[in-house]
Amino acid sequence: HLALEPNLAKCLLEAARLGAHDPALSICAVLSAEDVWVSPPRRRRERDDDVLRVMAAHLPFRHALGDLHSLLNVFNAFLDHARDAPAWCRAHFLRYRALHFARRARAQL
């Protein structure tokens, strides 16, 4: 049993009505998890090369339509790389624990 925040439940109901339930399930699952983006530790953020490396790793997931589409891109790519997910997440500065939770949460939705 997965408790879902009322606003996410409403989103899923509306998405089902509109025939867009599949991407909505993924987005709601990711929003139910902790933040998927990893940034350099505070002590290393002062180094421009660390920040640029993280930004470059996140860039392929960014979507012009906004953050929800970016999260959907991340989640779909995570599923595509399930065999090597922990290493793939490290390479792309993504939080494996959050994406793994989202995958399990989506299966319950």
Side-chain angles (χ1 to χ4, degrees):
H1 174 35
L2 177 70
L4 196 60
E5 293 182 29
N7 59 337
L8 296 180
K10 183 177 178 180
C11 172
L12 289 179
L13 291 173
E14 187 65 15
R17 187 182 72 76
L18 297 171
H21 64 282
D22 192 58
L25 285 171
S26 298
I27 291 169
C28 287
V30 173
L31 290 174
S32 297
E34 64 183 299
D35 190 11
V36 300
W37 308 106
V38 173
S39 58
R42 185 173 299 276
R43 61 180 157 47
R44 294 187 61 191
R45 270 189 223 153
E46 296 167 1
R47 294 181 48 194
D48 288 340
D49 57 329
D50 287 337
V51 173
L52 292 175
R53 205 163 17 108
V54 171
M55 289 174 62
H58 290 172
L59 188 61
F61 307 112
R62 297 295 181 184
H63 195 287
L65 292 178
D67 293 343
L68 296 179
H69 289 276
S70 297
L71 289 173
L72 184 59
N73 287 343
V74 168
F75 186 70
N76 288 335
F78 173 77
L79 295 178
D80 289 345
H81 293 88
R83 287 180 45 156
D84 63 341
W88 181 83
C89 285
R90 277 191 305 278
H92 291 88
F93 296 93
L94 299 169
R95 192 166 280 117
Y96 171 78
R97 182 179 59 223
L99 289 164
H100 180 69
F101 174 88
R103 181 176 57 197
R104 289 192 335 256
R106 189 188 190 288
Q108 291 181 28
L109 294 173

